[in-house]
Each structure stands twice: as structure tokens, then as C-alpha cells.
Amino acid sequence: LKKLPLARRTATVTADAITAEFAGKRETRTYKVDNTKSPAHIDLTLTAGGKTETSYGIYKVEGGVLTICASEEDKADARPTEFKAGKGVYLM
């Protein structure tokens, strides 16, 4: 995502939602975090057109920068264990 224009790399985080670039589209997803896990877990949920889809990932905040690594699969056991993009895993 570093190659995207700044406006597309910027995320807006509120108390219950994140608006950012997800898989090529700017979307707003609700989130739930569990920072008792290491690395900290984040579940991102999108509800649109009567369908609900959840991406499972990990997150960290360093120097004011939020980094999320999440699976495109709608399965909790597909959650990444490290901050590395790969097949079916995106890093933002």
C-alpha cells in the first residue's frame, strides 16, 4: 500500500469503526480488538447488502502508525501470526 496516494493510505479510526482502503476499496468496517493476545488481535467486520463479512488479523501501533495484517478469508483460524503479506493476507 505504500505506493498508493496518501489519501488512500490514510485510515480514520473512531471508537467503533475504521475507514480505510480494504482490498482495493475504501470501506468502513467495525472492529473488535483483543490486546491480551500477542500479537494483538483485531476482527474487522463489514456489513453491506444484507451480508456480513469478517476479516481476522493482528495489529500494532508504533510511533502513531497503525499497522494491520489481516486475512481475506472469513475464518478465525486464518488469522496471521506475523506482520507479513502473502497469499490471501494483506498488510495495511
Side-chain angles (χ1 to χ4, degrees):
L1 291 176
K2 289 181 181 180
K3 294 179 182 178
L4 292 175
L6 182 59
R8 291 182 60 193
R9 287 187 281 148
T10 302
T12 303
V13 181
T14 64
D16 63 352
I18 296 175
T19 300
E21 189 87 11
F22 293 98
K25 292 191 297 186
R26 191 148 184 89
E27 300 173 334
T28 298
R29 295 181 180 219
T30 59
Y31 67 90
K32 182 174 80 170
V33 298
D34 182 352
N35 58 10
T36 64
K37 308 283 188 193
S38 182
H41 288 190
I42 186 166
D43 300 343
L44 300 157
T45 303
L46 173 67
T47 302
K51 283 181 68 177
T52 299
E53 152 189 320
T54 301
S55 296
Y56 297 91
I58 55 177
Y59 78 96
K60 63 183 176 181
V61 178
E62 294 175 331
V65 176
L66 170 65
T67 301
I68 297 173
C69 187
S71 172
E72 292 178 330
E73 292 187 46
D74 196 8
K75 300 176 189 169
D77 61 352
R79 184 185 312 274
T81 57
E82 61 183 337
F83 291 92
K84 183 177 177 184
K87 184 177 180 180
V89 175
Y90 61 93
L91 185 65
M92 62 177 271

